[in-house]
Amino acid sequence: MVDAVVVVSGAPSQETGPPEARKSRFNGWAWLVLPGLVFILAVFGWPLGEVVVRSFGGDGAVQNYGVFFDSPIYFRALNSTLITSASVTLSCLLIGYPYAYLMSQSRRTELLLAIVLLPIWTSFLVRTYAWQIWLQDTGVINSTLLRMGVIDEPLSLIRTNLGVVIGMTGILLPFAILPMFTVMRRIDRELVRAAENLGAKPRIAFRRIFVPLSLPGVYSGCLLVFVLALGFYIAPAILGGTSSPTLSTLIIDKVQRELDFHTASALGVTLLLIALVAVAIGSRVVRIRDVFGGGAP
Amino acid sequence: MNSDTRRRSTQLCLAIPAAFLLVAPTLVVVPMSFTASPLLSFPPTGFSTQWYGRLASDEAWRLATLTSLSVAIQATLLATSVGTLTAFGIARGRFPGKSLVQALVLSPAIVPIVLVAIGTFFAYGRVGLVGTPAGLVLAHGALAVPLVVVTVAASIETMDPRLDLAAASLGAGPFRTFFLVTLPLIRPGVLAGALLAFVTSWDELVVSLFLTTPVLRTLPVEMWTSVREQLDPTVAAASTMLVALSTAGLVIAYVIGLRQARRKS
């Protein structure tokens, strides 16, 4: 992967310039990162530091992090967080890929893009409530099916993991579609056509030429969705059941109801470590700065 | 020809689930806001605009809207100015440890939001920032900085660096070059970053839950707490207003984009 930052900062004029300029590892523009760095460290780094410190405080790190072995609740929460994030990522990929493909091929790209962007501009919370309206026992799906006589009892779509996965997939879908679309749009269509001209069936040409070229977008989208899903609190709290809380709902419960800051911090640091591992794995195949750029065009 | 149409219809069919998931929330929120019944059940019964009336007359909703607006504007100004400077440092600066600095500045986009929420609660509580607009502005600003940095850095990198050199060689000082040449060239990037920053703050709930108090609530927090008590159609009305606002924003952005494109051609 070409690092554009390096390309720009190593502009050709400097290469041919005087030797001392070529040697210097520092230029005036560098000072401009200082305000941002200080700001982030002060208002963001410090709070994170507080969490890490607290995870070692109280009865000690062994006690705080040991909760995973003490009570099955925590282990189950860890499990359910990972499974939920993985299922949401998978369904975003499977559902989003064909849409992104259509966007990259269609002449109505702008309309299709507006459909993806509109939800981004609508609040997370509003969308989660809307999913509640769709999924609840008296909701759109259940009341329609009941009236049609397909079912006698409302399906339990809400307060279940299925509900959480459906809602989160709907909410995170734009973050999967946009990176895939960005990459697909740049794929030279002539390559696929060339394969077809050389005798490949359309399906083979798609699978052997288009899909591999679209992989960088797939990786970006999946990484973004997975990491965002890990920290989700609103959707599990509204759509999920109380029987299988995720790590994030447990953390907030610990702080707000039980005032158990140390266990909450240890759980928080665990969640952070999972996110960092995902990003570290992801950074082997994509440029992280491209992934977490907010997804908007 | 026949296989081509078949291929196209397969493409369309496969894209339907995504389109449904994207549009479904909006489809249901708007009709629900006009229901006459006090319960949020489907289909809505009767027609009434009473929930919009309540939204306008209720003191708590009005205050929350004003708080959200003021916090979002301040957080946007903060994040956009800090983020734009940082973007220059990252796009053009040369210094040891750059990738580490870049990772630190972008870290708010990677750290799970729950962790940010409890951390800010712990840290800001120590210095009395919990329950103040300043605390919200700082926290939201930090969350928005990465978005600004990435969008602005991208537009700096696509800008021709020779234009800066040209201005400098024609006698413009560094400040004149920056304000008269560089800044106008990267303005679309800065505006896009500012828009993202605004939406980030306007929509933020989890961190705000820990930094707000019953007397200082943002709009999402107000919605959250009122729904925890009961899910009533006022929320649908508030949501519809938000959808209308954002649609208007999108349309305005589109029209501005069209006009600029036309001016260029």
Side-chain angles (χ1 to χ4, degrees):
Chain A
M1 194 122 303
V2 181
D3 193 352
V5 178
V6 176
V7 172
V8 170
S9 57
S13 61
Q14 269 130 13
E15 296 295 329
T16 52
E20 56 267 44
R22 205 190 315 154
K23 245 187 265 164
S24 98
R25 301 177 57 207
F26 196 89
N27 68 5
W29 289 104
W31 292 109
L32 292 180
V33 299
L34 267 186
L37 191 59
V38 171
F39 176 71
I40 290 295
L41 287 180
V43 304
F44 184 81
W46 174 41
L48 280 194
E50 287 273 335
V51 177
V52 175
V53 169
R54 264 163 222 252
S55 76
F56 292 106
D59 299 327
V62 179
Q63 179 69 33
N64 296 341
Y65 287 93
V67 291
F68 286 108
F69 304 101
D70 287 352
S71 153
I73 299 173
Y74 300 99
F75 198 73
R76 236 183 284 143
L78 178 65
N79 227 355
S80 127
T81 306
L82 290 175
I83 291 176
T84 308
S85 302
S87 343
V88 171
T89 310
L90 189 67
S91 52
C92 277
L93 170 65
L94 293 179
I95 295 173
Y97 195 92
Y99 191 86
Y101 180 73
L102 182 71
M103 268 174 91
S104 72
Q105 308 290 312
S106 164
R107 261 168 282 149
R108 298 259 167 85
T109 307
E110 284 190 347
L111 175 70
L112 294 170
L113 185 63
I115 292 178
V116 181
L117 289 182
L118 190 62
I120 291 196
W121 296 103
T122 318
S123 113
F124 263 111
L125 187 57
V126 169
R127 278 183 279 156
T128 316
Y129 287 140
W131 279 111
Q132 187 180 2
I133 297 173
W134 274 95
L135 300 172
Q136 66 192 353
D137 289 351
T138 56
V140 184
I141 295 177
N142 272 321
S143 55
T144 311
L145 289 179
L146 278 173
R147 206 164 325 122
M148 282 163 57
V150 181
I151 47 170
D152 301 323
E153 295 270 303
L155 302 171
S156 39
L157 295 170
I158 203 163
R159 308 260 149 242
T160 60
N161 286 338
L162 180 66
V164 177
V165 172
I166 296 177
M168 281 173 74
T169 303
I171 291 167
L172 289 171
L173 202 52
F175 298 98
I177 292 179
L178 286 175
M180 291 197 277
F181 166 65
T182 313
V183 170
M184 286 178 185
R185 190 177 46 177
R186 291 196 207 117
I187 295 176
D188 189 350
R189 284 197 217 175
E190 297 300 319
L191 292 174
V192 180
R193 212 160 293 153
E196 285 174 22
N197 284 345
L198 291 170
K201 286 190 184 123
R203 200 181 303 159
I204 304 287
F206 174 75
R207 203 193 308 151
R208 301 271 287 271
I209 308 289
F210 190 88
V211 171
L213 287 172
S214 71
L215 283 181
V218 170
Y219 295 143
S220 300
C222 286
L223 179 61
L224 186 59
V225 169
F226 185 77
V227 172
L228 286 175
L230 281 178
F232 252 50
Y233 168 67
I234 304 172
I238 295 179
L239 303 173
T242 40
S243 58
S244 60
T246 59
L247 274 183
S248 37
T249 46
L250 263 189
I251 291 168
I252 290 199
D253 234 40
K254 285 274 162 208
V255 175
Q256 284 193 327
R257 296 231 182 95
E258 301 174 30
L259 303 178
D260 181 355
F261 297 164
H262 300 294
T263 312
S265 300
L267 297 177
V269 173
T270 311
L271 193 60
L272 178 62
L273 289 177
I274 299 172
L276 289 180
V277 168
V279 170
I281 295 172
S283 68
R284 294 174 155 267
V285 280
V286 287
R287 203 175 98 178
I288 294 304
R289 212 185 86 190
D290 294 339
V291 179
F292 294 94
Chain B
M1 216 58 222
N2 193 18
S3 78
D4 221 38
T5 10
R6 207 194 313 152
R7 202 197 295 183
R8 205 161 291 159
S9 51
T10 321
Q11 277 177 23
L12 267 176
C13 287
L14 286 173
I16 286 175
F20 170 75
L21 285 173
L22 291 166
V23 178
T26 321
L27 276 186
V28 63
V29 163
V30 179
M32 291 295 217
S33 70
F34 292 104
T35 180
S37 117
L39 286 172
L40 263 187
S41 62
F42 195 87
T45 42
F47 177 87
S48 120
T49 54
Q50 55 173 318
W51 309 109
Y52 289 90
R54 216 175 116 189
L55 199 59
S57 62
D58 192 297
E59 189 63 17
W61 283 97
R62 233 166 34 111
L63 267 181
T65 310
L66 288 180
T67 308
S68 265
L69 211 55
S70 122
V71 166
I73 290 173
Q74 293 177 63
T76 304
L77 291 175
L78 181 67
T80 310
S81 43
V82 171
T84 303
L85 286 178
T86 314
F88 272 101
I90 282 178
R92 292 192 172 166
R94 231 171 334 124
F95 54 96
K98 188 159 139 180
S99 49
L100 178 68
V101 167
Q102 194 173 313
L104 281 174
V105 171
L106 296 186
S107 63
I110 299 169
V111 174
I113 192 80
V114 176
L115 203 65
V116 185
I118 63 171
T120 346
F121 176 63
F122 297 153
Y124 290 12
R126 289 197 174 191
V127 288
L129 279 172
V130 171
T132 63
L136 287 168
V137 170
L138 290 176
H140 289 181
L143 291 177
V145 160
L147 306 175
V148 177
V149 170
V150 173
T151 22
V152 177
S155 59
I156 295 172
E157 279 163 10
T158 51
M159 182 191 135
D160 189 342
R162 283 172 305 181
L163 291 172
D164 265 11
L165 294 179
S169 72
L170 290 172
F175 284 96
R176 276 186 75 185
T177 310
F178 181 76
F179 283 105
L180 292 179
V181 177
T182 319
L183 206 53
L185 280 169
I186 59 161
R187 195 164 46 196
V190 176
L191 284 180
L195 215 55
L196 284 175
F198 185 88
V199 173
T200 305
S201 168
W202 178 254
D203 197 18
E204 210 294 316
L205 171 66
V206 183
V207 177
S208 308
L209 272 179
F210 283 84
L211 294 180
T212 48
T213 57
V215 287
L216 178 89
R217 278 182 183 161
T218 59
L219 197 54
V221 174
E222 181 65 39
M223 280 172 92
W224 175 261
T225 37
S226 84
V227 167
R228 288 267 119 161
E229 285 147 23
Q230 68 171 127
L231 190 60
D232 80 28
T234 317
V235 174
S239 311
T240 307
M241 301 281 288
L242 289 178
V243 173
L245 264 181
S246 43
T247 314
L250 263 184
V251 170
I252 291 172
Y254 181 71
V255 169
I256 291 177
L258 264 190
R259 209 177 275 169
Q260 272 181 350
R262 215 173 284 153
R263 207 182 301 158
K264 265 180 202 161
S265 63

